[in-house]
């Protein structure tokens, strides 16, 4: 009797300890195991995969959610694998009893009593796949834990994230893409049956290697579930005879630099605004253009939709794997000299502030400012030139003159603010900003053009649907609509074949970089060629190297030329434009200058034929030196006929 009590107490104690341990165990957070890592998959706007990076263990695996899985697949899977899935808590008591009876009867595991939850446990932790009683108990414990913490829907999603479908294909996203080249939301019953059958023996049932086995496995699934799902028998017989795919297709990665840029978002499929066919075209064009140049010269290009800022194609270099040309570098992110590509923005700012007019005439001649003596690209001067001529010919002196009127420090500060203060180094370009002294990246340059030519619309480049838009000072427009129209009107010109184009090229010092930013009706195209480490070249110019590439991109993508805007010019502006052009009367000092004088003398350079005034008092004949009676602000004026010019300066006595 005592022995019986002892046995009973021991049994109760064991039961209490076991149930306590079980309760403690299932309450512990489950180990996510292989669920924690998925592939980085980048999709184009139409859903096409444009870049795929496998997991560390070499699998193509994407996170699955029920909202994008065809309900037929879920229903057939449950009907075939685990009919009581929605009712049990991870273990199916009837199946456990049956499996235990078979084991006792035969002395080996005959049937596994495996629920879908237990299969998920094995997929998360491959060590649980071993066919052994102890391992089976571990599977059950993990299944109980998963059911305690997860909903049934989350368990199904985990299954469709990890289920194997042959080779290194895991999860329903990769499976439907690789076997059927489609998303998992609209599947045929033939496809559903194969996807249910494959995970049981993913290598033995691969339709590309073992078509007969795959065909029989598909049929077995269909006929086993026909009574459970109430399929039409004739339809089922017809589907059962349908062929299966004969090859496995994996996507080609054509956006590696974009993948690098979005690497932090690699835990899910990344939906972008990229157009897959444009990306392929751009990749081909950039490679063909680069083939004309020796190493280490590289090339890059980007296409952006106007109004929205959506990036439609993105090529960071021609050959990602090239060591000779350092192709792994993303040259769209590299901080480089933009050459003359900022000149339109300088003229635009001067137009908006009424410092120049649309029909302004510049004096293209020697330019001297405190030891800075720039020349034009051809080392020649053109005399009187219109604003349009100066812009299209990319003359340096008119741009420097306009920047001087705008104020280089003020304009540089505005550009930096518009770019969100994102530049990687402090800059103080001064007047050299007009000729490439303000360094920025290709992405920043095209963003400035977006702000310039599409005021009051999206002003930031956008890769993905869910990129947040946070308004800040950098979202302010660069120009108003009238100035943007004037600037575009100035840039539009006719090619010899009659084709209308609007573009601005740039060439950096020592021909290290060649740029072309081309404006189309609905898009901006930027093309760049240059050397990886700023090596000098004798080959590259924006006009001869980059512009042909931006033009070819536009033609290949069938981009429409820009519409010639209708300009709204006021009567005052018309009257101003009809006035005769005035030459520069005061070369030195410049307006706003701060001058230190040891002998109270103000040095002057200007027209010898003009009448000169100091603080509204006539000075008489032109003199290169004017005596100043006091320190402070002085206004120097020169008049010639109907033309006049004033320079207001501050003089400090030493």
């Amino acid at each position: 009797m005592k022995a019986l009590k002892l046995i009973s107490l021991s049994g109760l104690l064991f039961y209490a300890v076991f149930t306590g341990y079980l309760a403690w165990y299932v309450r512990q957070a489950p180990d996510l195991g292989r669920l924690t890592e998925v592939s980085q998959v980048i999709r184009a706007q139409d859903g096409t995969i444009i870049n795929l990076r496998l997991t560390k263990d070499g699998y193509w695996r994407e996170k699955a959610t029920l909202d994008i899985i065809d309900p037929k697949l879920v229903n057939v899977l449950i009907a075939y694998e685990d009919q009581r899935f929605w009712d049990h808590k991870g273990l199916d008591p009837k199946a456990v009893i049956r499996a235990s009876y078979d084991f006792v009867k035969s002395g080996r595991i005959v049937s596994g009593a495996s629920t879908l939850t237990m299969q998920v446990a094995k997929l998360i932790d491959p060590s649980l796949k071993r066919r052994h009683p102890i391992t089976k108990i571990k599977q059950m414990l993990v299944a109980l834990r998963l059911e305690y913490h997860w909903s049934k829907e989350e368990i199904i999603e985990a299954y469709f994230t990890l289920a194997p479908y042959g080779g290194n294909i895991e999860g329903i996203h990769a499976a439907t893409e690789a076997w059927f080249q489609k998303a998992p939301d609209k599947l045929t019953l033939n496809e559903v049956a194969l996807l249910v059958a494959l995970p049981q023996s993913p290598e033995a049932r691969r339709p590309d290697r073992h078509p007969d086995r795959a065909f029989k496995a598909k049929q077995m699934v269909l006929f086993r579930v026909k009574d459970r799902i109430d399929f039409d028998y004739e339809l089922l017989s017809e589907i059962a005879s349908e062929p299966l795919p004969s090859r496995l297709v994996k996507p080609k990665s054509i956006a590696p630099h974009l993948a690098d840029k979005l690497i932090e978002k690699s835990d899910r499929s990344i939906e972008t605004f990229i157009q897959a066919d444009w990306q392929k075209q751009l990749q081909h064009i950039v490679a063909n253009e680069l083939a004309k140049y020796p190493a280490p010269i590289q090339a890059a290009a980007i296409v952006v939709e106007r109004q929205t800022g959506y990036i439609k194609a993105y090529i960071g270099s021609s050959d990602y794997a090239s060591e000779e040309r350092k192709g792994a570098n993303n040259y769209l992110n590299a901080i480089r000299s933009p050459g003359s590509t900022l000149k339109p923005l300088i003229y635009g700012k001067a137009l908006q502030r009424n410092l120049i007019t649309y029909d302004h005439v510049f004096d293209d001649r020697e330019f001297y400012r405190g030891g800075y003596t720039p020349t034009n690209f051809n080392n020649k001067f053109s005399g009187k030139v219109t604003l349009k001529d100066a812009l299209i010919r990319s003359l340096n002196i008119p741009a420097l003159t306009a920047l001087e009127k705008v104020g280089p420090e003020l304009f540089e500060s505005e550009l930096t603010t518009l770019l969100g203060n994102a530049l990687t180094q402090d800059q103080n370009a001064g007047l050299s900003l007009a000729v490439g002294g303000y360094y920025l990246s290709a992405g920043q340059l095209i963003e400035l053009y977006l702000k310039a030519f599409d005021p009051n619309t999206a002003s930031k480049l956008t890769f993905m649907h869910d990129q947040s838009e946070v308004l800040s000072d950098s979202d302010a427009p660069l120009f108003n609509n009238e100035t943007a129209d004037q600037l575009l009107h100035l840039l539009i010109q006719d090619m010899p074949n009659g084709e209308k184009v609007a573009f601005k090229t740039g060439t950096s010092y020592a021909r290290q970089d060649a740029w072309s930013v081309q404006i189309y009706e609905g898009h901006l195209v930027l093309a760049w060629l240059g050397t990886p480490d700023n090596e000098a070249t004798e080959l590259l110019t924006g006009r001869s190297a980059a512009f042909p590439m931006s033009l070819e991109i536009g033609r290949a993508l069938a981009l429409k030329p820009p519409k010639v805007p209708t300009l709204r010019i006021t009567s005052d502006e018309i009257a101003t434009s009809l006035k005769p052009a005035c030459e520069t009367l005061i070369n030195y000092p410049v307006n706003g200058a701060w001058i230190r004088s040891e002998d109270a003398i103000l040095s002057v350079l200007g027209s010898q034929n003009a009448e000169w005034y100091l603080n509204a008092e006539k000075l008489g004949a032109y003199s290169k030196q004017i005596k100043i009676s006091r320190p402070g602000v002085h206004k120097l004026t020169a008049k010639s006929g109907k033309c006049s010019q004033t320079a207001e300066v501050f003089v400090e006595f030493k």
Side-chain angles (χ1 to χ4, degrees):
M1 193 68 172
K2 289 183 179 180
L4 186 58
K5 282 186 176 181
L6 184 60
I7 292 172
S8 299
L9 287 173
S10 298
L12 289 172
L13 180 61
F14 174 79
Y15 178 76
V17 171
F18 175 76
T19 54
Y21 171 79
L22 184 62
W24 172 85
Y25 179 84
V26 298
R27 283 175 170 78
Q28 304 305 303
D31 182 2
L32 299 181
R34 299 174 71 249
L35 269 178
T36 59
E37 187 187 3
V38 293
S39 304
Q40 186 201 44
V41 181
I42 298 178
R43 283 185 162 81
Q45 191 166 19
D46 64 356
T48 302
I49 294 178
I50 57 174
N51 216 81
L52 168 65
R53 288 185 175 173
L54 304 177
T55 62
K56 292 178 181 178
D57 50 357
Y59 286 93
W60 175 6
R61 179 193 311 139
E62 297 182 59
K63 182 176 175 57
T65 54
L66 276 178
D67 59 312
I68 51 83
I69 299 175
D70 193 317
K72 292 195 299 291
L73 176 59
V74 177
N75 293 337
V76 172
L77 174 70
I78 291 174
Y80 184 77
E81 292 280 7
D82 189 357
Q83 296 178 68
R84 290 179 285 275
F85 171 75
W86 298 109
D87 301 319
H88 64 64
K89 299 299 182 182
L91 305 180
D92 185 347
K94 293 182 179 179
V96 171
I97 293 171
R98 184 197 69 242
S100 300
Y101 174 78
D102 290 341
F103 176 73
V104 171
K105 185 177 179 181
S106 64
R108 58 187 179 88
I109 296 177
V110 176
S111 58
S114 183
T115 62
L116 275 175
T117 312
M118 292 171 64
Q119 291 185 43
V120 169
K122 291 189 290 183
L123 293 171
I124 291 174
D125 181 2
S127 69
L128 297 179
K129 292 181 179 180
R130 183 166 171 251
R131 293 176 66 85
H132 189 276
I134 299 299
T135 307
K136 184 62 68 175
I137 291 172
K138 290 180 180 179
Q139 282 181 28
M140 294 177 178
L141 291 174
V142 173
L144 291 171
R145 178 186 280 180
L146 294 178
E147 291 274 352
Y148 181 82
H149 289 275
W150 293 354
S151 67
K152 290 289 187 178
E153 289 76 13
E154 288 173 320
I155 292 170
I156 288 288
E157 289 175 343
Y159 176 87
F160 281 123
T161 298
L162 294 175
Y165 292 95
N168 68 339
I169 307 301
E170 288 192 343
I172 195 62
H173 275 292
T176 58
E177 186 71 40
W179 290 115
F180 312 124
Q181 293 78 62
K182 64 193 297 187
D185 57 343
K186 294 179 181 178
L187 301 172
T188 67
L189 270 176
N190 186 52
E191 293 165 345
V192 164
L194 176 64
L195 293 171
V196 170
L198 263 178
Q200 294 181 330
S201 300
E203 291 306 312
R205 294 177 176 178
R206 280 182 59 162
D208 58 336
R209 295 181 179 178
H210 307 286
D212 292 339
R213 293 179 189 172
F215 193 78
K216 290 178 180 178
K218 175 202 77 168
Q219 289 182 322
M220 178 179 65
V221 170
L222 288 172
F223 288 111
R224 181 177 293 182
V225 302
K226 65 181 178 63
D227 295 329
R228 301 172 183 174
I229 296 185
D230 192 25
F231 284 147
D232 179 85
Y233 188 80
E234 290 186 6
L235 176 63
L236 196 64
S237 299
E238 183 179 332
I239 294 171
S241 62
E242 288 182 7
L244 295 174
S246 59
R247 65 191 185 98
L248 185 149
V249 178
K250 295 183 181 179
K252 185 177 180 181
S253 293
I254 57 173
H257 293 97
L258 186 57
D260 289 342
K261 196 171 186 67
L262 303 178
I263 193 68
E264 293 180 358
K265 302 180 184 297
S266 62
D267 61 335
R268 56 187 171 85
S269 177
I270 301 169
E271 309 288 337
T272 71
F273 292 112
I274 298 288
Q275 288 198 202
D277 54 339
W278 287 20
Q279 183 75 7
K280 293 175 185 176
Q281 291 258 36
L282 213 66
Q283 187 182 55
H284 179 71
I285 292 169
V286 172
N288 282 350
E289 289 296 319
L290 187 61
K292 302 174 184 177
Y293 299 94
I297 292 174
Q298 257 293 359
I302 184 173
V303 179
V304 176
E305 186 176 78
R306 295 176 60 186
Q307 305 291 325
T308 64
Y310 296 164
I311 295 173
K312 293 297 184 177
Y314 188 91
I315 302 294
S317 78
S318 175
D319 184 357
Y320 189 87
S322 172
E323 295 183 5
E324 187 178 24
R325 296 183 188 263
K326 297 188 177 179
N329 294 338
N330 186 347
Y331 295 97
L332 295 176
N333 285 342
I335 303 297
R336 314 292 291 230
S337 165
S340 297
T341 54
L342 293 179
K343 284 177 180 174
L345 310 188
I346 295 169
Y347 290 129
K349 186 57 65 174
L351 282 168
Q352 180 153 302
R353 290 174 54 187
N354 297 315
L355 300 172
I356 61 174
T357 64
Y358 177 81
D359 291 329
H360 193 86
V361 176
F362 290 95
D363 194 5
D364 183 32
R365 63 179 184 177
E366 290 184 358
F367 186 92
Y368 176 84
R369 296 293 184 272
Y372 182 47
T373 57
T375 61
N376 288 311
F377 190 76
N378 61 3
N379 294 316
K380 297 178 181 179
F381 300 100
S382 301
K384 303 295 183 182
V385 292
T386 64
L387 170 56
K388 185 177 183 72
D389 194 32
L391 184 55
I392 288 177
R393 292 172 58 192
S394 198
L395 299 176
N396 289 338
I397 306 306
L400 289 162
T401 304
L403 180 59
E404 192 172 53
K405 292 176 181 291
V406 171
E409 292 81 9
L410 181 65
F411 187 59
E412 179 175 335
S413 176
E414 184 174 357
L415 291 183
T416 303
T417 300
L418 286 169
L419 293 172
N421 301 298
L423 298 175
T424 58
Q425 58 186 19
D426 293 333
Q427 302 195 37
N428 185 16
L431 288 173
S432 72
L433 184 149
V435 291
Y438 183 75
Y439 286 62
L440 38 63
S441 71
Q444 291 168 334
L445 177 60
I446 203 167
E447 188 171 293
L448 287 176
Y449 270 69
L450 187 69
K451 294 173 187 287
F453 291 96
D454 293 283
N456 304 310
T457 62
S459 60
K460 295 201 179 296
L461 304 186
T462 307
F463 289 99
M464 303 180 301
H465 293 264
D466 60 350
Q467 281 184 323
S468 59
E469 291 288 340
V470 180
L471 295 178
S472 65
D473 292 340
S474 63
D475 292 295
L478 185 57
F479 306 131
N480 56 33
N481 288 317
E482 290 74 18
T483 300
D485 286 346
Q486 287 184 15
L487 203 53
L488 180 56
H489 203 286
L490 289 165
L491 280 173
I492 291 176
Q493 56 183 300
D494 292 321
M495 298 280 286
N497 62 359
E499 183 179 359
K500 286 197 180 302
V501 292
F503 66 96
K504 185 68 193 77
T505 59
T507 306
S508 68
Y509 174 75
R511 303 190 180 192
Q512 299 164 343
D513 305 271
W515 302 84
S516 176
V517 184
Q518 194 154 348
I519 305 160
Y520 292 89
E521 181 181 331
H523 297 84
L524 297 174
V525 174
L526 181 146
W528 171 89
L529 292 98
T531 49
D533 297 312
N534 292 307
E535 302 96 328
T537 78
E538 297 180 356
L539 301 171
L540 299 180
T541 68
R543 185 65 192 233
S544 66
F547 173 62
M549 185 160 74
S550 69
L551 187 64
E552 177 61 22
I553 290 170
R555 289 170 174 170
L557 304 185
L559 301 182
K560 295 180 180 179
K563 292 181 179 179
V564 180
T566 302
L567 298 184
R568 291 172 288 178
I569 302 178
T570 65
S571 57
D572 290 341
E573 291 171 327
I574 293 172
T576 300
S577 68
L578 294 175
K579 290 181 180 179
C582 292
E583 65 176 344
T584 301
L585 300 176
I586 304 176
N587 295 106
Y588 184 85
V590 298
N591 187 44
W594 186 305
I595 300 170
R596 292 185 177 183
S597 176
E598 293 183 354
D599 49 9
I601 295 295
L602 177 63
S603 297
V604 176
L605 292 174
S607 173
Q608 298 183 22
N609 300 319
E611 295 178 349
W612 290 82
Y613 298 82
L614 181 65
N615 300 322
E617 294 184 7
K618 191 172 182 179
L619 295 173
Y622 167 75
S623 174
K624 291 186 177 181
Q625 293 187 327
I626 299 175
K627 185 72 175 179
I628 302 295
S629 61
R630 59 173 175 78
V633 177
H634 294 271
K635 184 177 291 187
L636 183 68
T637 303
K639 293 183 178 181
S640 178
K642 295 183 178 181
C643 299
S644 67
Q645 184 178 348
T646 297
E648 195 171 81
V649 298
F650 184 87
V651 180
E652 177 184 355
F653 290 171
K654 291 184 179 180

